Amino acid sequence: MAAALVALALLAAATAVAAAGNFNQDFDITWGDGRAKILNSGQLLTLSLDKTSGSGFRSKKQYLFGKIDMQLKLVPGNSAGTVTAYYLSSLGSAHDEIDFEFLGNLSGDPYILHTNIFTQGKGNREQQFYLWFDPTKAFHTYSILWNPRSIILSVDGTPIREFKNLESKGIAFPKSQAMWLYSSLWNADDWATRGGLVKTDWAQAPFTASYQGFDDAHACVWSSGSSSCSSSSSANNSWLSESLDNTGQQRIKWVQKNYMIYNYCADAKRFSQGFPPECSLS
Ligand SMILES: *[C@@H]1O[C@H](CO)[C@@H](O)[C@H](O)[C@H]1NC(C)=O
Ligand SMILES: *[C@@H]1O[C@H](CO)[C@@H](O)[C@H](O)[C@H]1NC(C)=O
């Protein structure tokens, strides 16, 4: 009995550790020549950027649907010109992609959270937001819920954007191409900050962004043509049919009313020939 309890407690502890993720096990550093570092026995990852290069990493696993969390602490101080990208993407010219991109700014000026969704190689679905906190002072959780019904981007549990499955209305939805999770820190001072007006101040380099708390426990891992979700009947896969409830709808409205600074669906100048079809459906 006591032994069983101890075993249970150990199992619970092991599960808690596994849920926190381990960067050594979960990711490959893909570029940056030593500028990306995995620290604290795999609990922390840092990317850095200097005048010579940025850096980046990619998940070892591929996913076909998932609820994936990561905590990021963005480049502090004068981060103008830098972009920290955090996204899911498949490969090829008809790829699918779900993007968070953080556009840096001068000290004290707000970062922009830039989002986009590509289906079958077609993006042009930008929405941009200010955040309701300083994303450089502490870690905050950025989540992607991707299931067959919907894609929901959230910040600290607050949904900021939803892209619904409107395949029945002829709009492509990502559902058959597995995606990797990527992140990178790079120089984009030709466009990132105030449309490219403010350049990267290399005297501030190296610029560093930090990552912790990766959680893909609720994700379907795609491997050799099959999904971990179809085999594990005991797994809790309720997220696979989750969509925004009333509270979620209210919160997304709050974010969009108070913090959204660009919405492609409201850019009449850009889409003078007519808005993309999802704009009138979602
Ligand atoms: C940077 O700050 C300026 C001034 O507040 C603001 O207009 C801009 O949207 C901010 N963000 C970026 C990434 O340019
Ligand atoms: C399944 O997961 C959801 C959240 O993803 C949670 O609310 C629910 O309580 C879980 N159910 C069980 C039986 O663990």
Side-chain angles (χ1 to χ4, degrees):
M1 175 70 186
L5 277 180
V6 169
L8 261 182
L10 283 176
L11 187 65
T15 311
V17 169
N22 181 303
F23 286 107
N24 284 310
Q25 280 162 25
D26 297 329
F27 293 96
D28 289 318
I29 287 169
T30 43
W31 63 287
D33 200 18
R35 289 174 183 79
K37 292 192 175 68
I38 297 178
L39 306 163
N40 299 357
S41 320
Q43 299 308 298
L44 180 70
L45 185 153
T46 58
L47 291 184
S48 78
L49 161 72
D50 57 37
K51 202 163 183 180
T52 309
S53 178
S55 51
F57 63 89
R58 190 183 82 170
S59 60
K60 292 188 198 277
K61 295 173 200 154
Q62 280 178 280
Y63 305 98
L64 190 55
F65 304 121
K67 186 176 189 176
I68 297 178
D69 293 348
M70 181 80 91
Q71 296 172 20
L72 275 75
K73 188 160 77 174
L74 301 176
V75 174
N78 179 358
S79 59
T82 72
V83 170
T84 305
Y86 171 66
Y87 59 104
L88 283 169
S89 184
S90 62
L91 300 176
S93 57
H95 77 294
D96 299 322
E97 184 176 323
I98 304 169
D99 289 334
F100 279 109
E101 284 190 315
F102 301 90
L103 317 185
N105 217 333
L106 295 169
S107 300
D109 281 349
Y111 262 80
I112 288 176
L113 168 50
H114 174 98
T115 66
N116 202 356
I117 291 170
F118 287 73
T119 57
Q120 309 273 302
K122 186 187 158 298
N124 298 326
R125 297 193 174 99
E126 298 86 356
Q127 287 187 355
Q128 295 185 333
F129 306 84
Y130 287 145
L131 294 162
W132 49 95
F133 52 83
D134 180 344
T136 72
K137 289 277 186 270
F139 283 95
H140 290 271
T141 305
Y142 301 91
S143 311
I144 299 170
L145 170 67
W146 168 36
N147 69 28
R149 295 173 67 174
S150 201
I151 293 166
I152 300 170
L153 302 183
S154 303
V155 176
D156 288 336
T158 295
I160 61 164
R161 173 169 192 177
E162 181 179 29
F163 182 78
K164 288 185 188 142
N165 184 336
L166 295 166
E167 280 184 305
S168 62
K169 306 282 196 325
I171 298 160
F173 186 82
K175 60 147 205 238
S176 52
Q177 305 189 79
M179 304 205 235
W180 281 274
L181 185 68
Y182 295 84
S183 189
S184 55
L185 173 58
W186 41 289
N187 178 44
D189 67 359
D190 52 334
W191 63 273
T193 308
R194 299 183 59 196
L197 282 177
V198 186
K199 301 299 177 191
T200 303
D201 178 6
W202 294 111
Q204 309 299 317
F207 302 97
T208 303
S210 307
Y211 299 75
Q212 68 177 23
F214 172 65
D215 185 355
D216 68 348
H218 299 284
C220 305
V221 176
W222 185 257
S223 167
S224 314
S226 77
S227 166
S228 62
C229 290
S230 47
S231 55
S232 57
S233 52
S234 62
N236 179 355
N237 287 334
S238 61
W239 63 269
L240 258 172
S241 54
E242 199 176 316
S243 61
L244 278 185
D245 59 9
N246 269 337
T247 314
Q249 303 282 3
Q250 293 306 315
R251 295 181 85 190
I252 223 170
K253 278 196 190 121
W254 173 79
V255 173
Q256 299 203 339
K257 176 163 178 276
N258 295 293
Y259 296 97
M260 187 158 69
I261 54 169
Y262 179 80
N263 180 5
Y264 74 111
C265 282
D267 192 342
K269 207 167 142 192
R270 177 179 175 193
F271 294 106
S272 57
Q273 310 294 310
F275 285 110
E278 70 272 15
C279 291
S280 50
L281 294 167
S282 40

